[in-house]
Amino acid sequence: MASTEASRQENVYMAKLAEQDERYEEMVEFMEKVVKIVDVEELTVEERNLLSVAYKNVIGAGSCYCGARESVRISRNSEPDNLFDSAIAGFCTGAILGILQGDLADAIRYSIGISIVGTGVDFVAIKLRPVFKNMYKSVVVGDEKNKDRFKWPEWLPIQVLDEEALAAKCVREEALRARIRDLTKEES
């Protein structure tokens, strides 16, 4: 028990050091170790605050890319799906985050990485958007030619909007309940 308490205190101390150096990814790792040692309900107020600060800053760094992409798009007066905006925003965001993390090498590494990953994700999203729209039309809207292609299973708990279908469903459910009652009476 004493070794887990020592490990817990050591991880909290390391998380505080990581926070002072603004190394929030490492701070998250240390606080995850603390959470694994104890239940979440047993965390102290200080530990909960450290965990909150760590995740807030990690998520904030990711959202920085989205904001930068939008500001680049607005400043260039371009379309929302422009991949060049995505690359510029990724490069700028990476440079800013890299400088905040340490030195010029980090800035270059972050800017190239975020630029490549962000632009790749945007490219995939742009290419898959028509596919998802077609899937939405065929499943939710229900084209006449695609009506027989996809059919919801009977047991799926979907709100039925058609009154006739709802009435038929109620009749089937009542018949099923009656069969279950008959079976339980026979077993008794």
Side-chain angles (χ1 to χ4, degrees):
M1 190 69 176
S3 67
T4 58
E5 186 64 32
S7 176
R8 178 180 180 177
Q9 293 301 324
E10 181 181 335
N11 283 319
V12 169
Y13 177 73
M14 294 301 288
K16 288 179 185 177
L17 288 179
E19 181 184 17
Q20 289 174 358
D21 288 340
E22 296 180 0
R23 300 178 75 86
Y24 298 110
E25 292 88 4
E26 293 175 12
M27 189 177 174
V28 168
E29 292 173 13
F30 290 124
M31 290 311 298
E32 284 178 348
K33 290 176 186 176
V34 171
V35 171
K36 287 178 185 175
I37 292 172
V38 297
D39 289 334
V40 176
E41 292 84 21
E42 296 177 10
L43 289 176
T44 64
V45 174
E46 178 186 34
E47 291 168 344
R48 277 189 242 134
N49 287 340
L50 285 171
L51 187 64
S52 173
V53 167
Y55 277 109
K56 177 187 72 130
N57 286 305
V58 167
I59 291 171
S63 65
C64 178
Y65 166 73
C66 296
R69 188 180 74 191
E70 284 302 307
S71 66
V72 168
R73 182 185 70 79
I74 290 169
S75 66
R76 290 187 63 236
N77 294 326
S78 61
E79 297 296 317
D81 293 336
N82 191 333
L83 292 178
F84 189 67
D85 292 344
S86 178
I88 291 172
F91 194 79
C92 294
T93 303
I96 292 168
L97 292 175
I99 289 170
L100 290 175
Q101 286 289 326
D103 56 2
L104 184 61
D106 284 340
I108 293 170
R109 185 170 42 111
Y110 277 110
S111 61
I112 291 172
I114 292 176
S115 178
I116 290 170
V117 171
T119 307
V121 168
D122 287 344
F123 177 77
V124 169
I126 290 168
K127 292 298 179 185
L128 289 180
R129 188 173 294 139
V131 173
F132 286 129
K133 281 185 180 178
N134 289 337
M135 284 175 53
Y136 177 79
K137 283 180 184 175
S138 68
V139 173
V140 177
V141 176
D143 293 340
E144 288 300 320
K145 63 181 180 180
N146 295 331
K147 202 168 196 172
D148 296 331
R149 184 186 312 171
F150 184 82
K151 195 171 185 180
W152 294 110
E154 289 286 325
W155 51 266
L156 193 66
I158 294 178
Q159 181 181 5
V160 180
L161 299 177
D162 186 49
E163 291 180 18
E164 292 175 0
L166 182 60
K169 181 181 175 191
C170 289
V171 169
R172 285 192 309 267
E173 288 176 351
E174 189 56 42
L176 183 63
R177 286 189 196 106
R179 285 181 44 201
I180 291 173
R181 274 181 283 192
D182 291 342
L183 288 174
T184 54
K185 286 180 183 177
E186 290 175 5
E187 290 178 358
S188 305

